[in-house]
Amino acid sequence: MWVKSGTTARGALARRATAAVGAVLALTLLAAAAASAALGLSPAYVAKTGAAFLAAGTLVVANLDAHPFDRFGAANGVTLVRAALAALLAGLVGEGADPPLAAFAAAAGGIAVALDFVDGRLARASGLASAFGARFDMETDAALVLVLSILAWQTGRAGAWVLAAGALRYVFVAAGVLLPWMRRPLPPSARRQTAAATQMVALVAALAVDPPVSGALAAAALALLGASFAIDTAWLARRRGAPS
């Protein structure tokens, strides 16, 4: 159902979204406390995790004007859970390199990747697919790749070069700030989606195995992701100066 004019429907949407963020935040903090106790993490872990998810949730609520429906939707709820899993992973940054930590990161990352195959299908099935949901999903993917790449380096599964996997998306966005021709919308691409999904799967797998296999997995996926970004950049460069 499309949002009706006026502030009533938008206010109701904001309340529903805020309630969803609050509920997932509470569950995230409980999960962080349990993980901290089980893994012997620092006292700051729960706070780091909560802060990361709260930042994501705040951005979601702040951008609801781009959501064209009066329901937040189950699909966005699933993406919100994926953001919570990303926050649990973000909290692990700086927490050491013990094998149990890597195993926990691989498990949490694996669930987040599996749910990536759910939210889009759920949105389409419910008739609530939107540019807002697609952007929310994409930014969650980018955050997951960033944090997983940091953890792959932190746990010794790959060298510092693996950080490039997490940085590529943000470098691409930053380039668009400096170069107007980089801001042209890109056409939908199965190749782009495959490269991003492969990167997430490879980083999760790298956290679950030991070197040198972990490094080989991460390197192969990074090569694929880098090639995908290079293709997109070349496509944009060829259209530099052309009308949008």
Side-chain angles (χ1 to χ4, degrees), residues 84-139:
L85 290 163
L88 287 168
L89 292 169
L92 294 175
V93 174
E95 292 290 330
D98 293 339
L101 183 148
F104 173 69
I111 296 170
V113 171
L115 289 176
D116 191 31
F117 296 94
V118 175
D119 48 10
R121 290 177 175 81
L122 191 57
R124 291 186 289 272
S126 61
L128 295 176
S130 70
F132 170 88
R135 181 65 181 272
F136 183 18
D137 181 64
M138 180 178 66
E139 296 301 342

Side-chain angles (χ1 to χ4, degrees), residues 3 8 10-11 81 84 89 97 100 120 131 139 148 160 165 170 175 188 211 238:
V3 175
T8 302
R10 303 307 296 177
V81 171
L89 292 169
E139 296 301 342
L148 287 169
Y170 299 100
R238 287 195 300 270

Side-chain angles (χ1 to χ4, degrees), residues 184-187 230-240:
R184 178 188 290 268
L186 291 164
I231 291 170
D232 285 339
T233 302
W235 185 91
L236 291 167
R238 287 195 300 270
R239 287 155 182 81
R240 188 185 325 181

Side-chain angles (χ1 to χ4, degrees), residues 21 24 52-53 55-61 72 75-90 108-109 111-120 131-149 165-166 169-170 173 196-197 199-201 203-204:
V21 169
V24 177
F53 179 76
T58 300
L59 287 173
V60 168
V61 174
F72 188 60
N76 286 324
V78 171
T79 310
L80 201 59
V81 171
R82 296 182 66 234
L85 290 163
L88 287 168
L89 292 169
I111 296 170
V113 171
L115 289 176
D116 191 31
F117 296 94
V118 175
D119 48 10
F132 170 88
R135 181 65 181 272
F136 183 18
D137 181 64
M138 180 178 66
E139 296 301 342
T140 302
D141 287 349
L144 278 166
V145 172
L146 174 62
V147 176
L148 287 169
S149 66
R169 155 73 180 164
Y170 299 100
V173 172
Q199 184 66 74
M200 288 189 290
V201 171
L203 288 171
V204 168

